[in-house]
Amino acid sequence: MVITFQNTVHRLVGLLYQSGAQADEAKSYLRVLEQIVSNADGELQETFQVFITNMVSRRVKLAVSRAVLNEAISKLTNLPDRIAFDLCKFALVRLKPRIICFEEHVCSILQHIGTIMERFCMFRQAAETLLTVPLERGHRRYAAEYKFDTYVRIARLFLQADDVRRAEFYIKRAGLLQKEVSDKPKIILYKESYACILDHARKFIEAARRYVELSAISNKCMSFLRKAFICIALSTTGEQRSHILFLLLKDERTKILPGSALIGKLYHNVIIKRSDLKDFEAILQPHHKITLPDGLTLLERAINEHNLLSVSKIYNDISFEQLAALFETTPTYVQIIAAELITNGRIPAVIDQIRDSLVFENHREVPLIDMEIKSLCNQLNSIFNKIAVENPAWLAKIETEIREENDKEC
């Protein structure tokens, strides 16, 4: 039997005038709903709309309406996307005047509209739709896990829409709720999303750190290690970068990554040539290959900075012709890069235009082993002074022995 629009109206009107237990009323409405979804054919939208309108009516008991609408929304998720989208929009219009009674249903419909938009690659619109879910300003309290899931989803949608700033804002909102969530897959999804957002925001060191952490807790370990490798290679130099490079260098799994030899060269401050980057460039993602306003790619900028800092550890000064030969480029190009890095405070150097060279300031960090030797010498000196104070005779004897030894040598 095909359920027509007119037939549905008559049946719903009849149910309004029936009296009985709430459970029986709900079952009657659910039978009508089932028949609409399975037999309405071309009039599905019209009959479904009249059904929703009827269920929102104040003439239907609220408990019955809420139970039946839960099932109706569930049925919507199984309908073709275009039909479901129109019906969801219609249902929202009907439900919003009574949102205090049907807030839960409104949230479910908004979530499904977001899902449909996402399937049609309408990422920004999907995120904006989910933002209308009243997580913080609604009349009911939502579980921390529900809010956490929604914020992570919004952040991922904004990232797919290339709105990194808003993606980062909402992933941080999710981060405030992380401690209240115990589901491991959800925590991993959140951490992966955060790392990916930082990656797109060019906060490469922080992204690399998060990817390394994920490689230890996720079954996608090699994917995360590869992403950590990319991010750390594109990052600016510093202690944090060296620490992460050390972790990657000691991780046996990284040896099978394309271009993995680059990790050791970056860590040991070896000058990197174009030929060293061939395998590495093949694993870069599209957002890593963008050209910056100065005409350089992210990789070129990072390698130029690395190479200049590597040179500064070897030379006190070097001509731009020598630098150009090392970097396999022109002296003019090297001078432009050096000037920019000096201006930004990235390398401790000055340009000597008379000699056409780069002069590095001699403010190098004292290696850790030198600091340890110095500390040991200071401790020995302190012990020697204390012994001399406590035992002057011993000191006099030692000084006499040293003088006699010196006289023999003379």
Side-chain angles (χ1 to χ4, degrees):
M1 174 184 171
V2 176
I3 303 300
T4 64
F5 175 80
Q6 200 65 35
N7 179 263
T8 301
V9 172
H10 286 309
R11 294 187 65 185
L12 291 172
V13 170
L15 288 173
L16 287 175
Y17 291 98
Q18 287 184 3
S19 61
Q22 290 182 1
D24 293 335
E25 287 184 40
K27 287 179 182 178
S28 298
Y29 281 115
L30 288 173
R31 280 195 293 270
V32 175
L33 174 64
E34 190 64 41
Q35 290 174 344
I36 289 172
V37 173
S38 57
N39 300 306
D41 292 345
E43 293 187 328
L44 173 61
Q45 285 189 255
E46 292 80 2
T47 52
F48 207 103
Q49 286 174 359
V50 77
F51 183 83
I52 293 293
T53 302
N54 182 82
M55 297 315 302
V56 178
S57 168
R58 295 181 185 273
R59 297 181 66 181
V60 180
K61 295 172 185 175
L62 182 58
V64 173
S65 293
R66 290 171 59 85
V68 174
L69 283 172
N70 276 334
E71 186 63 25
I73 293 168
S74 176
K75 297 290 185 186
L76 280 176
T77 61
N78 297 322
L79 294 176
D81 283 342
R82 295 188 183 279
I83 295 174
F85 183 81
D86 291 338
L87 290 174
C88 283
K89 288 287 190 180
F90 177 85
L92 281 180
V93 173
R94 294 299 184 207
L95 289 169
K96 281 189 175 180
R98 299 189 66 191
I99 192 169
I100 295 177
C101 300
F102 299 109
E103 186 175 313
E104 178 184 352
H105 305 82
V106 169
C107 292
S108 297
I109 291 171
L110 289 170
Q111 293 279 2
H112 188 54
I113 290 175
T115 299
I116 293 172
M117 287 179 167
E118 185 176 359
R119 283 202 281 259
F120 281 97
C121 298
M122 301 166 64
F123 303 120
R124 184 179 298 278
Q125 295 91 325
E128 298 286 0
T129 297
L130 292 179
L131 284 176
T132 63
V133 175
L135 296 177
E136 310 294 346
R137 61 186 185 280
H139 299 282
R140 56 193 297 269
R141 293 190 63 180
Y142 294 90
E145 191 165 309
Y146 178 79
K147 293 196 286 186
F148 177 82
D149 292 343
T150 303
Y151 283 134
V152 170
R153 190 178 175 197
I154 290 169
R156 291 175 67 86
L157 286 167
F158 274 127
L159 179 61
Q160 289 176 286
D162 294 324
D163 192 338
V164 179
R165 182 185 63 82
R166 295 183 77 183
E168 189 171 0
F169 176 82
Y170 286 103
I171 202 68
K172 286 179 179 178
R173 291 286 294 272
L176 298 175
L177 300 164
Q178 182 190 347
K179 291 182 179 179
E180 300 180 59
V181 179
S182 57
D183 188 286
K184 185 178 178 181
K186 290 182 179 181
I187 294 295
I188 291 176
L189 179 63
Y190 155 75
K191 290 184 175 182
E192 179 182 355
S193 302
Y194 206 155
C196 194
I197 288 167
L198 291 169
D199 185 348
H200 281 75
R202 302 180 203 166
K203 298 178 180 180
F204 292 123
I205 290 178
E206 181 62 17
R209 184 184 67 78
R210 289 178 178 271
Y211 281 136
V212 170
E213 179 187 340
L214 280 163
S215 72
I217 61 175
S218 171
N219 54 11
K220 298 190 293 183
C221 58
M222 294 310 301
S223 172
F224 290 131
L225 279 175
R226 185 179 69 253
K227 290 177 180 180
F229 174 29
I230 292 172
C231 287
I232 206 63
L234 297 178
S235 66
T236 55
T237 56
E239 289 184 9
Q240 288 182 309
R241 180 178 187 255
S242 298
H243 175 67
I244 295 172
L245 281 169
F246 177 77
L247 293 177
L248 293 175
L249 190 62
K250 296 300 180 183
D251 194 324
E252 293 293 326
R253 298 172 299 175
T254 61
K255 293 181 180 179
I256 63 173
L257 292 174
S260 59
L262 188 62
I263 298 174
K265 293 183 178 181
L266 290 169
Y267 179 72
H268 294 296
N269 295 306
V270 176
I271 293 174
I272 296 170
K273 299 187 177 181
R274 292 183 186 276
S275 57
D276 298 325
L277 300 172
K278 186 176 179 181
D279 291 336
F280 178 75
E281 287 177 317
I283 64 174
L284 292 177
Q285 296 176 296
H287 67 278
H288 297 135
K289 298 179 182 180
I290 63 170
T291 301
L292 300 169
D294 58 7
L296 296 175
T297 65
L298 290 169
L299 180 60
E300 288 171 339
R301 174 183 286 276
I303 296 304
N304 286 335
E305 181 177 334
H306 166 84
N307 282 342
L308 279 173
L309 284 169
S310 298
V311 167
S312 73
K313 297 179 185 298
I314 303 171
Y315 297 89
N316 288 325
D317 61 85
I318 185 171
S319 70
F320 284 112
E321 284 191 7
Q322 289 175 294
L323 278 174
L326 286 172
F327 295 178
E328 302 174 325
T329 185
T330 64
T332 303
Y333 179 79
V334 174
Q335 188 167 351
I336 292 171
I337 298 302
E340 184 177 349
L341 291 174
I342 292 170
T343 302
N344 294 335
R346 298 304 307 161
I347 59 169
V350 293
I351 294 176
D352 187 335
Q353 293 184 330
I354 295 175
R355 295 191 300 157
D356 198 28
S357 64
L358 190 63
V359 180
F360 297 102
E361 296 177 358
N362 195 22
H363 297 305
R364 299 174 188 161
E365 296 181 3
V366 178
L368 181 60
I369 186 67
D370 290 354
M371 294 176 65
E372 291 177 347
I373 292 171
K374 182 179 178 181
S375 175
L376 179 61
C377 290
N378 288 335
Q379 292 177 45
L380 289 172
N381 191 53
S382 176
I383 293 169
F384 182 83
N385 290 335
K386 288 179 180 178
I387 294 173
V389 171
E390 295 292 332
N391 195 341
W394 175 82
L395 178 62
K397 180 182 177 183
I398 293 297
E399 288 177 343
T400 301
E401 290 177 355
I402 292 173
R403 280 197 299 272
E404 290 175 354
E405 189 69 29
N406 290 337
D407 291 342
K408 289 179 182 179
E409 290 180 359
C410 293

